[in-house]
Amino acid sequence: MRHIRSIYLFCCIVISVRGGASKLLEERELTINCSNMSLRKVPTDLTPSATMLDLSYNLLFQLQRSDFHSVSKLKVLILCHNRIQELDIRTFEFNTELRYLDVSYNRLKMVTWYSLAGLRHLDLSFNDFDTVPICEETGNMSHLEILGLSGAKIRKSDFQKISHLHLNTVFLGLRTLSHYEEGSLPILNTTKLHIVLPMNTNFWVLLRDGIKTSKILEMTNIDGKSQSTSYETQQNLTLEKAKTSILLLNKVDLLWGDLLLIFQFVWHTSVEYFQVQHVTFGGKVYPDHNSFDYSNTVMRTIKLEHVHFRIFSIPQERVYLLFTKMDIENLTISDAQMPHMLFPIYPMRFKYLNFANNILTDDVFKTPIQLPHLKTLILKDNKLETLSLVSCFASNTSLKHLDLSQNLLQHENDENCLWPETLISMNLSSNKFTDSVFRCLPRNIQILDMNDNKIQTVPKEIIHLTSLRELNLAFNLLTDLPGCSHFGRLSVLNVEMNLILSPSLDFFQSCQEVKILNAGRNPFRCTCELRDFIQLEKYSEGMMVGWSDSYICEYPLNLKGTQLKDVHLPELSCNIALLIVTIVVIMLVLGMAVAFCCFHFDLPWYLRMLGQWAQTWHRVRKTTQRQLKRNIQFHVFISYSEHDSAWVKHALIPNLEKEDGSILICFHEGNSDPGKNITEDVIKCIEKSYKSIFVLSPNFVQSEWCHYELYFAHHNLFHESSDNIIIILLEPIPLYCIPIRYPKLKALMEKKAYLEWPKDRRKCGLFWTNLRAAIHVNLLETRQMCELQTFTELNEGSRGSTISLVRTDCL
Ligand SMILES: *[C@@H]1O[C@H](CO)[C@@H](O)[C@H](O)[C@H]1NC(C)=O
Ligand SMILES: *[C@@H]1O[C@H](CO)[C@@H](O)[C@H](O)[C@H]1NC(C)=O
Ligand SMILES: *[C@@H]1O[C@H](CO)[C@@H](O)[C@H](O)[C@H]1NC(C)=O
Ligand SMILES: *[C@@H]1O[C@H](CO)[C@@H](O)[C@H](O)[C@H]1NC(C)=O
Ligand SMILES: *[C@@H]1O[C@H](CO)[C@@H](O)[C@H](O)[C@H]1NC(C)=O
Ligand SMILES: *[C@@H]1O[C@H](CO)[C@@H](O)[C@H](O)[C@H]1NC(C)=O
Ligand SMILES: *[C@@H]1O[C@H](CO)[C@@H](O)[C@H](O)[C@H]1NC(C)=O
Ligand SMILES: *[C@@H]1O[C@H](CO)[C@@H](O)[C@H](O)[C@H]1NC(C)=O
């Protein structure tokens, strides 16, 4: 017991939740998978809530009554591939929800029945029953849909017990068949019957009865070693009794004659669809195929797949013609190593022909073939070489779909192509086509698959494929995205795995209709040219298949391996026009800003002032000491016209003293009489002042300047040390207004060596700063003159003029 418990620990328990959260508890599905664990007994402590239990591929040989009592919720129980010899269905008495019970591939000899009403799927196939294990109780399982059975003896009486059940599928998995009572199978009422025959069985009787039993009949393992019945005996099967319309034979190994016999037999039954897979045939091929009776059939589709033969010489023509003369709707002979195919010389009714995976060559089309109704032709994976030959054949058909993939096809420019107007889809993938293939395409083509060829470009001078919707050019040698000028309605384009570095503009201009584009895995060069392409995904999300994993830069090397979506290509660096426009705009704005400053804030005035201020500072530093050697007593001498006295007293003086509050000023307020000479005092004043300020205004020029003009000329002071003179231009004086007799003044004005009193009040600050800087000097020697009092002295010589000596801190 401990042993079993420890094994149980290895059983894999899977919980899967189905449905919404509300139904969580009821809907919970618990799977216990103890498959392939060498179990000899059913584990005892199974999770009670388990709904699925897989005990397949173990060594179970006996089931106990109590084995499954604990798992009362069980719905699915798999016990296949064990060694169970006896089954009592009452074991599952308490598993009322059991729907699916698989006890196939055991060694069952006996079943004790009990009616499990809920069971839908019961598989007892591949067991060792002597007779088919059907009881009265089986007939009471009214929900049964799929029933798997086996038994060495099949008798009518057994099947009769379930004849009233409407089954979906009956599966007869037979290990041996010693006796079959004819007419047993047709007793069953089932849609599908699948019989897996044991070796060396006479399949004929089962085939005949099977065809009378179900709509779909499948038979596996048909071999003809115990072949006995002759063709004639099969002929009497009347169509009324036959039910099968779909017949599938699998793993058939027969002599050619027997195979032919089966075809002939099936031909006259109700079978419409006949599929034979994995056929091997040997023996002698009858040279006389005319014995096949093509009359009286409902057959529409024959499908032969994976055909092998053990004969070395086959009269090929006979075999091919046997099938092509059947003249049904659909014929498939694939993977049959056929090197050739022949058709009768008269028109045939085939609509669908599939000869895929053979070794057909161009020779197929060298004889005229008349298939006026052909809609679909599949010649995938053959050895065809010339596309124009196929087109020539197709032109006489009403072909819609043509699959020529995986051949050796090529097209030479000088060959003529004649495709039917009806052709709308063509698969030319995995061939040897180059650019020239575009000259051999049907006009109305809608879907064209040309992946895996050697196409380098889509030539410019091809016919317009106005209906083309899907074009696959993946795995070619394209270096650019094709434009759509020749296929205006293209909506799906695949150019994966080509050599596209950067898609050209032509694509974006002409391919407006393209909705799905796969251009992944190309060696993209991530430069400005790629911007449009990257934008494409941003603006039409979901258009690019495989975005963004398959879109990776190859060049330049520093971006190699970067995904396109991560590449940043700024608009400005890529768009030259925009770059130029931006620069021009910036320059314009700057220019306008400068102009605005000039006009609105009078920038040149500020600049000039600043220049003067800097010059003054420089000069002051250089010359202070030299100046001081002169016996300086005043900081400044101010001369002005009496008209300007208000400005001098209320603006100039208060502002001059602002900085250190103590400066000595010598005033000279001129009167309006120009005839009077300049007094000695004034001249003394000038000489003892560090700076002389002349407040220039038209009045001043009129009345006062004449004194100074003479004085300056005489003393030459003005020339040597014009540094000492500060001219404040209170009002603008046009040059022409200055009389000729004042050359000095003219020179000063021309040199613009004056400070201009700004009309704009905001500029005054700078003006004063500048002025203060000019008269800034430390008058050490003048300290003792502090006792000097402000005085005003009336002078007889210059009546009306006033000279004032002012200590401004005493004002
Ligand atoms: C149990 O596990 C085996 C592989 O070990 C798997 O083949 C089988 O499908 C599983 N059974 C179920 C019911 O999932
Ligand atoms: C069972 O397990 C063995 C190895 O443990 C493995 O070789 C075998 O294929 C398994 N069989 C099945 C049916 O899973
Ligand atoms: C089958 O079911 C019917 C009623 O559903 C019942 O009368 C009959 O006894 C059952 N037969 C067996 C063998 O259980
Ligand atoms: C078989 O079952 C179907 C329903 O599934 C029914 O219509 C048909 O009549 C039955 N045939 C026989 C022969 O009982
Ligand atoms: C087949 O039918 C023919 C008559 O059409 C009859 O002579 C022959 O005995 C029948 N064969 C079988 C096996 O029923
Ligand atoms: C023939 O084959 C085509 C394509 O597989 C299918 O659509 C058509 O239904 C088939 N016709 C018949 C009669 O089986
Ligand atoms: C086309 O079909 C006509 C009859 O329908 C036939 O005469 C002619 O030979 C065929 N041409 C080709 C190329 O098969
Ligand atoms: C064309 O044929 C190839 C291989 O034969 C197949 O993979 C592909 O899907 C086909 N293309 C179309 C459009 O059916």
Side-chain angles (χ1 to χ4, degrees):
M1 194 52 88
R2 217 173 59 81
H3 175 65
I4 291 171
R5 191 182 278 268
S6 66
I7 289 170
Y8 168 60
L9 290 178
F10 293 105
C11 292
C12 170
I13 298 179
V14 179
I15 298 172
S16 70
V17 176
R18 269 200 236 137
S22 55
K23 291 196 167 181
L24 200 68
L25 285 170
E26 301 111 83
E27 297 279 307
R28 184 179 263 196
E29 300 270 326
L30 180 74
T31 300
I32 302 179
N33 196 342
C34 301
S35 178
N36 205 2
M37 288 185 170
S38 309
L39 296 179
R40 285 170 190 278
K41 281 188 170 163
V42 177
T44 46
D45 43 2
L46 294 165
T47 315
S49 56
T51 54
M52 191 186 275
L53 177 58
D54 189 347
L55 289 164
S56 59
Y57 295 94
N58 281 298
L59 305 170
L60 304 176
F61 63 94
Q62 208 171 13
L63 298 180
Q64 303 297 328
R65 269 286 183 98
S66 57
D67 277 346
F68 303 102
H69 279 189
S70 59
V71 280
S72 57
K73 300 252 163 59
L74 212 57
K75 287 181 182 162
V76 176
L77 178 59
I78 302 167
L79 290 163
C80 64
H81 294 277
N82 276 286
R83 295 168 181 185
I84 304 168
Q85 292 175 351
E86 239 183 87
L87 180 69
D88 186 350
I89 296 198
R90 205 175 281 273
T91 309
F92 314 108
E93 190 176 7
F94 299 106
N95 307 103
T96 48
E97 294 187 31
L98 199 63
R99 304 264 172 283
Y100 185 108
L101 178 60
D102 183 356
V103 207
S104 61
Y105 294 96
N106 275 281
R107 293 175 183 173
L108 289 177
K109 287 194 156 71
M110 262 263 302
V111 175
T112 310
W113 282 94
Y114 169 79
S115 180
L116 274 179
L119 214 56
R120 301 212 151 96
H121 182 123
L122 173 63
D123 196 347
L124 298 169
S125 60
F126 296 104
N127 275 291
D128 297 338
F129 297 114
D130 186 41
T131 57
V132 178
I134 294 177
C135 253
E136 300 296 338
E137 286 88 349
T138 323
N140 265 12
M141 292 155 67
S142 55
H143 287 106
L144 216 52
E145 286 166 7
I146 298 171
L147 178 60
L149 295 168
S150 56
K153 293 187 185 125
I154 295 174
R155 300 172 308 193
K156 281 183 178 179
S157 55
D158 296 325
F159 285 152
Q160 231 113 39
K161 291 165 194 155
I162 52 166
S163 64
H164 60 282
L165 290 180
H166 307 320
L167 296 166
N168 184 295
T169 302
V170 171
F171 177 62
L172 280 178
L174 304 177
R175 276 194 177 141
T176 52
L177 182 62
S178 59
H179 171 75
Y180 174 77
E181 187 181 350
E182 225 177 310
S184 299
L185 288 175
I187 293 171
L188 296 169
N189 186 352
T190 178
T191 313
K192 180 173 178 184
L193 174 63
H194 184 184
I195 310 172
V196 179
L197 294 167
M199 302 302 272
N200 301 325
T201 315
N202 182 352
F203 63 89
W204 274 110
V205 61
L206 288 161
L207 178 60
R208 261 185 295 147
D209 272 0
I211 285 179
K212 289 187 217 162
T213 307
S214 61
K215 188 166 179 294
I216 304 168
L217 174 64
E218 183 172 353
M219 292 178 77
T220 306
N221 290 339
I222 293 186
D223 66 49
K225 293 195 183 90
S226 65
Q227 187 46 240
S228 57
T229 341
S230 77
Y231 163 60
E232 266 72 23
T233 57
Q234 319 309 329
Q235 265 192 331
N236 286 9
L237 193 72
T238 56
L239 285 176
E240 293 94 72
K241 281 190 197 161
K243 282 185 185 163
T244 300
S245 60
I246 298 175
L247 175 61
L248 314 163
L249 302 184
N250 199 6
K251 295 192 194 157
V252 179
D253 185 351
L254 289 173
L255 298 175
W256 171 251
D258 292 333
L259 192 64
L260 194 65
L261 217 53
I262 291 182
F263 270 98
Q264 181 69 85
F265 164 68
V266 171
W267 191 256
H268 294 305
T269 64
S270 57
V271 174
E272 294 176 14
Y273 179 98
F274 184 27
Q275 173 182 301
V276 190
Q277 282 180 326
H278 300 282
V279 203
T280 309
F281 67 88
K284 207 171 177 332
V285 175
Y286 298 124
D288 184 13
H289 64 273
N290 288 330
S291 60
F292 198 92
D293 176 7
Y294 290 103
S295 68
N296 196 21
T297 187
V298 291
M299 187 69 76
R300 299 173 75 185
T301 301
I302 286 182
K303 192 168 184 177
L304 271 162
E305 281 180 325
H306 317 297
V307 184
H308 301 268
F309 35 88
R310 287 200 222 91
I311 332 167
F312 295 104
S313 96
I314 304 170
Q316 289 182 30
E317 292 190 17
R318 306 245 182 261
V319 177
Y320 302 144
L321 283 173
L322 169 74
F323 289 105
T324 51
K325 276 185 172 176
M326 283 177 176
D327 200 13
I328 47 179
E329 246 174 70
N330 287 6
L331 175 64
T332 298
I333 305 178
S334 77
D335 189 15
Q337 306 149 63
M338 282 196 307
H340 195 51
M341 179 45 76
L342 277 178
F343 290 87
I345 44 163
Y346 47 84
M348 308 259 62
R349 282 178 307 196
F350 289 112
K351 285 186 179 164
Y352 173 100
L353 286 176
N354 182 348
F355 301 132
N357 309 93
N358 283 294
I359 44 175
L360 298 177
T361 61
D362 283 354
D363 290 341
V364 174
F365 300 110
K366 287 195 171 145
T367 49
I369 307 168
Q370 293 185 45
L371 298 165
H373 305 288
L374 194 62
K375 296 275 182 292
T376 306
L377 176 61
I378 298 174
L379 294 170
K380 173 178 153 181
D381 191 14
N382 276 285
K383 302 243 177 300
L384 301 173
E385 287 172 25
T386 316
L387 185 61
S388 55
L389 266 180
V390 186
S391 89
C392 202
F393 154 77
S395 67
N396 232 12
T397 67
S398 49
L399 210 54
K400 287 172 101 172
H401 310 284
L402 177 58
D403 186 348
L404 295 172
S405 60
Q406 300 176 43
N407 276 281
L408 309 166
L409 284 164
Q410 274 175 301
H411 176 69
E412 303 296 336
N413 268 330
D414 51 356
E415 291 162 346
N416 265 340
C417 288
L418 299 158
W419 295 106
E421 297 279 309
T422 46
L423 194 54
I424 54 170
S425 94
M426 209 155 62
N427 196 338
L428 301 177
S429 65
S430 303
N431 276 288
K432 294 178 155 185
F433 290 117
T434 58
D435 304 357
S436 57
V437 68
F438 283 95
R439 297 201 175 78
C440 183
L441 292 178
R443 184 172 295 275
N444 295 326
I445 194 84
Q446 292 174 9
I447 299 169
L448 187 54
D449 189 342
M450 298 203 285
N451 88 71
D452 188 20
N453 278 288
K454 298 187 166 58
I455 297 166
Q456 293 177 323
T457 53
V458 178
K460 294 275 175 254
E461 62 289 351
I462 59 168
I463 58 157
H464 285 261
L465 303 173
T466 43
S467 311
L468 192 61
R469 300 229 172 81
E470 286 184 43
L471 177 58
N472 188 343
L473 288 169
F475 298 91
N476 274 286
L477 307 170
L478 293 175
T479 51
D480 194 0
L481 280 181
C484 301
S485 42
H486 294 95
F487 4 91
R489 290 170 69 186
L490 197 66
S491 69
V492 180
L493 177 61
N494 188 345
V495 285
E496 201 186 357
M497 280 295 274
N498 275 276
L499 304 172
I500 299 172
L501 294 174
S502 57
S504 70
L505 274 181
D506 188 23
F507 172 79
F508 303 103
Q509 284 159 1
S510 60
C511 298
Q512 305 285 340
E513 300 268 307
V514 172
K515 305 276 183 302
I516 296 169
L517 172 66
N518 185 350
R521 298 196 276 160
N522 274 291
F524 291 110
R525 186 172 57 211
C526 293
T527 55
C528 284
E529 287 137 67
L530 211 64
R531 277 187 73 248
D532 286 334
F533 185 71
I534 297 172
Q535 298 285 319
L536 205 60
E537 174 62 21
K538 285 195 184 134
Y539 292 131
S540 47
E541 213 166 301
M543 175 179 177
M544 302 261 207
V545 179
W547 187 268
S548 57
D549 294 352
S550 316
Y551 296 77
I552 290 168
C553 302
E554 184 74 21
Y555 310 101
L557 286 179
N558 62 333
L559 286 176
K560 188 173 172 147
T562 314
Q563 288 190 2
L564 254 59
K565 77 165 159 60
D566 298 329
V567 175
H568 185 60
L569 296 168
E571 178 83 31
L572 205 57
S573 65
C574 290
N575 192 336
I576 292 177
L578 186 73
L579 186 66
I580 290 173
V581 166
T582 311
I583 290 174
V584 166
V585 165
I586 289 175
M587 304 244 300
L588 266 177
V589 167
L590 268 179
M592 276 159 65
V594 168
F596 178 78
C597 288
C598 285
F599 291 116
H600 195 261
F601 299 114
D602 206 357
L603 193 69
W605 182 88
Y606 280 106
L607 290 177
R608 220 161 49 232
M609 276 315 235
L610 275 174
Q612 278 169 358
W613 181 79
Q615 261 181 2
T616 317
W617 258 115
H618 183 64
R619 235 185 279 138
V620 164
R621 274 179 47 209
K622 253 173 45 186
T623 60
T624 309
Q625 290 315 309
R626 179 164 51 86
Q627 294 294 325
L628 289 178
K629 286 198 187 105
R630 290 163 43 201
N631 190 14
I632 301 282
Q633 288 176 356
F634 307 109
H635 282 95
V636 68
F637 161 74
I638 303 175
S639 173
Y640 55 96
S641 154
E642 61 182 343
H643 288 270
D644 306 321
S645 66
W647 180 80
V648 169
K649 291 205 176 106
H650 297 118
L652 182 59
I653 294 172
N655 275 297
L656 280 186
E657 65 198 20
K658 236 176 206 169
E659 203 152 278
D660 43 20
S662 149
I663 60 170
L664 289 165
I665 304 174
C666 177
F667 286 97
H668 169 240
E669 183 178 314
N671 63 7
S672 43
D673 185 358
K676 295 289 175 295
N677 209 344
I678 185 167
T679 63
E680 279 297 309
D681 291 334
V682 169
I683 291 182
K684 229 181 264 166
C685 235
I686 293 176
E687 279 167 0
K688 291 204 169 159
S689 294
Y690 174 53
K691 293 277 156 112
S692 305
I693 294 178
F694 299 95
V695 179
L696 233 61
S697 65
N699 273 316
F700 187 83
V701 173
Q702 289 283 309
S703 57
E704 297 298 316
W705 184 260
C706 61
H707 311 305
Y708 298 108
E709 183 78 22
L710 209 67
Y711 167 77
F712 287 143
H714 194 249
H715 284 82
N716 211 15
L717 182 73
F718 168 53
H719 185 72
E720 283 169 8
S721 44
S722 54
D723 281 359
N724 294 337
I725 293 169
I726 297 168
I727 295 178
I728 294 175
L729 195 63
L730 205 55
E731 286 169 48
I733 304 170
L735 269 182
Y736 60 84
C737 294
I738 300 170
I740 306 160
R741 56 200 158 95
Y742 298 159
K744 287 284 172 200
L745 181 61
K746 251 201 160 86
L748 274 173
M749 296 302 284
E750 266 161 17
K751 274 169 73 186
K752 293 203 186 266
Y754 50 78
L755 288 174
E756 205 178 335
W757 170 244
K759 291 276 176 294
D760 190 342
R761 307 208 72 212
R762 282 173 296 179
K763 296 175 183 170
C764 294
L766 189 56
F767 176 85
W768 296 125
T769 310
N770 224 343
L771 194 60
R772 277 196 295 270
I775 61 167
H776 177 83
V777 72
N778 198 4
L779 295 181
L780 289 168
E781 291 99 309
T782 56
R783 222 185 291 145
Q784 69 271 21
M785 312 229 353
C786 270
E787 298 94 54
L788 262 176
Q789 290 303 309
T790 305
F791 67 95
T792 305
E793 182 187 347
L794 262 171
N795 194 297
E796 304 125 65
S798 58
R799 190 162 33 84
S801 288
T802 317
I803 291 181
S804 317
L805 291 176
V806 182
R807 257 196 70 156
T808 53
D809 55 351
C810 311
L811 274 172

